[in-house]
């Protein structure tokens, strides 16, 4: 584990085979007993898959595109993480870009274990030995669930390719009907460039002792295909083999580059 002022908290502990942060493990029974109300909206994402992005999109829709209202509080307070069960979230992103993003996040997040070298991290990630568990299990689980419950399954890559179309889907799912002009505002305000500059979404108010953005910014690149700058040819082949095995039998299809 990484040494920081909050040293001990970088330890992850397993619950039902999934590594979780100490704060989550301590509150597990409360979290597991969470009862949703019929009109609750849960955003369920694997880490680094665009959680913050979809949070901002959902709030912009909820607030009818009112930019000022969306400035009322930090994103993590507008949509608190259920697993932290403090006063206070399926979107999927392809596994390779998620792995890269997660690696850089663990480098800068002093509350999570040091990721080690990229090669070490590659191993940990494909074996699901990272916080919040296996990407494969998360994605497969929600994909299988999506037709049985009221679930809108979104892909990071689709939002990137055609934000307006995907935002419209979220809007319809939320039972909202906003004008084209409002939709255009939401597209603009939730762009990577805007959210990188927005103190309510870029995590700039979190102290350096927790998120050290000089190591790697929270709003890092926001692109599809950055994995090509990290994966070796051999790693890519190993990954594709493992992916085929682990995702066998699912109809899910990920876009790896735009
Ligand atoms: P990168 O590290 O690849 O840049 P999460 O919010 O789940 O932690 O996900 C973080 C990832 O989403 C980061 O990816 C971040 O840059 C990206 N992201 C955040 N806001 C975005 C936006 N508006 N458009 C595209 N990507 C965004």
């Amino acid at each position: 584990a990484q040494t920081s002022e909050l040293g001990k908290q970088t330890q992850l502990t397993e619950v039902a085979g999934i590594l979780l942060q100490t704060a989550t493990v301590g509150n597990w029974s409360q979290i597991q007993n969470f009862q949703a109300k019929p009109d609750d909206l849960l955003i369920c994402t694997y880490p680094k898959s665009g959680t913050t992005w979809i949070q901002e999109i959902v709030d912009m829709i909820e607030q009818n595109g009112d930019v000022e209202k969306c400035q009322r509080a930090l994103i993590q307070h507008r949509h608190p993480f259920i697993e932290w069960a403090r006063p206070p979230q399926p979107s999927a992103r392809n596994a390779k870009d998620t792995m890269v993003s997660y690696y850089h996040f663990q480098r800068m997040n002093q509350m999570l274990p040091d990721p080690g070298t990229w090669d070490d991290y590659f191993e940990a990630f494909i074996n699901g030995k990272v916080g919040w568990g296996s990407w494969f299990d998360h994605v497969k689980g929600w994909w299988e669930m999506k037709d049985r419950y009221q679930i809108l399954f979104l892909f990071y890559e689709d939002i990137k390719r055609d934000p307006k179309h995907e935002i419209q889907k979220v809007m319809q799912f939320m039972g909202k009907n906003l004008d084209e002009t409002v939709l255009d505002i939401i597209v603009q305000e939730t762009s990577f460039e805007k959210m990188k500059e927005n103190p309510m979404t870029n995590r700039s108010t979190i102290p350096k002792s927790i998120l050290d953005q000089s190591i790697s910014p929270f709003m890092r690149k926001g692109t599809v295909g950055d994995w090509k700058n990290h994966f070796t040819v051999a790693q890519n082949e190993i990954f594709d083999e493992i992916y085929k095995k682990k995702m066998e039998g699912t109809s899910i299809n990920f876009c790896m580059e735009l």
Side-chain angles (χ1 to χ4, degrees):
Q2 199 154 321
T3 41
S4 72
E5 286 161 48
L6 306 146
K8 280 201 202 97
Q9 304 213 3
T10 67
Q11 293 282 3
L12 299 176
T13 310
E14 254 184 39
V15 174
I18 294 177
L19 289 168
L20 294 167
Q21 284 186 302
T22 314
T24 304
V25 178
N27 277 319
W28 190 246
S29 61
Q30 204 191 339
I31 296 163
Q32 203 168 26
N33 290 327
F34 168 77
Q35 292 283 329
K37 296 192 189 110
D39 60 346
D40 276 348
L41 191 145
L42 296 177
I43 298 176
C44 311
T45 55
Y46 189 75
K48 311 319 291 173
S49 300
T51 316
T52 318
W53 194 9
I54 192 67
Q55 286 176 315
E56 188 68 1
I57 290 173
V58 166
D59 197 37
M60 283 291 293
I61 295 173
E62 188 93 56
Q63 308 305 330
N64 306 313
D66 189 325
V67 180
E68 248 171 65
K69 275 195 184 154
C70 293
Q71 291 283 328
R72 71 193 180 284
L74 297 170
I75 192 76
Q76 62 270 33
H77 295 154
R78 283 179 279 150
H79 292 138
F81 287 93
I82 191 171
E83 71 266 34
W84 289 354
R86 287 187 194 146
Q89 119 194 344
S91 135
R93 186 184 193 180
N94 82 61
K96 294 176 188 176
D97 283 326
T98 301
M99 192 194 302
V100 168
S101 183
Y102 209 167
Y103 168 68
H104 289 293
F105 186 60
Q106 278 195 230
R107 291 200 309 123
M108 61 87 83
N109 189 330
Q110 310 301 309
M111 304 294 281
L112 290 175
D114 186 282
T117 64
W118 166 251
D119 291 353
D120 294 338
Y121 198 70
F122 180 87
E123 284 297 316
F125 187 93
I126 57 179
N127 290 307
K129 296 293 172 205
V130 291
W132 293 276
S134 155
W135 178 93
F136 303 94
D137 293 345
H138 170 93
V139 168
K140 255 197 331 205
W142 285 106
W143 185 252
E144 279 159 17
M145 211 84 97
K146 74 175 172 30
D147 300 323
R148 281 191 271 147
Y149 298 93
Q150 225 189 322
I151 288 173
L152 175 69
F153 200 103
L154 297 166
F155 292 88
Y156 179 100
E157 295 76 16
D158 288 346
I159 317 179
K160 197 78 204 174
R161 185 193 301 118
D162 191 348
K164 194 167 175 178
H165 183 255
E166 296 304 302
I167 290 170
Q168 230 157 356
K169 283 199 330 211
V170 180
M171 178 192 81
Q172 279 157 6
F173 183 78
M174 291 170 67
K176 287 276 217 179
N177 191 6
L178 305 174
D179 293 346
E180 286 280 306
T181 46
V182 174
L183 272 176
D184 289 332
I185 292 172
I186 298 177
V187 171
Q188 233 178 48
E189 292 297 322
T190 58
S191 70
F192 179 76
E193 290 71 24
K194 277 269 184 165
M195 284 182 59
K196 190 177 170 74
E197 296 310 318
N198 181 351
M200 295 297 150
T201 55
N202 65 15
R203 304 291 205 277
S204 56
T205 56
I206 296 182
K208 201 175 172 180
S209 59
I210 298 177
L211 293 186
D212 189 344
Q213 304 222 26
S214 69
I215 298 176
S216 180
F218 184 81
M219 293 285 171
R220 199 183 57 91
K221 282 196 177 171
T223 57
V224 178
D226 188 39
W227 62 271
K228 291 184 177 169
N229 299 315
H230 290 73
F231 278 57
T232 63
V233 173
Q235 279 174 338
N236 196 34
E237 281 169 7
I238 294 168
F239 187 90
D240 288 347
E241 269 307 304
I242 286 164
Y243 185 94
K244 236 198 279 172
K245 274 192 209 131
K246 295 211 189 228
M247 300 300 278
E248 206 181 349
T250 63
S251 54
I252 199 165
N253 200 8
F254 278 93
C255 159
M256 306 306 295
E257 55 189 306
L258 287 183

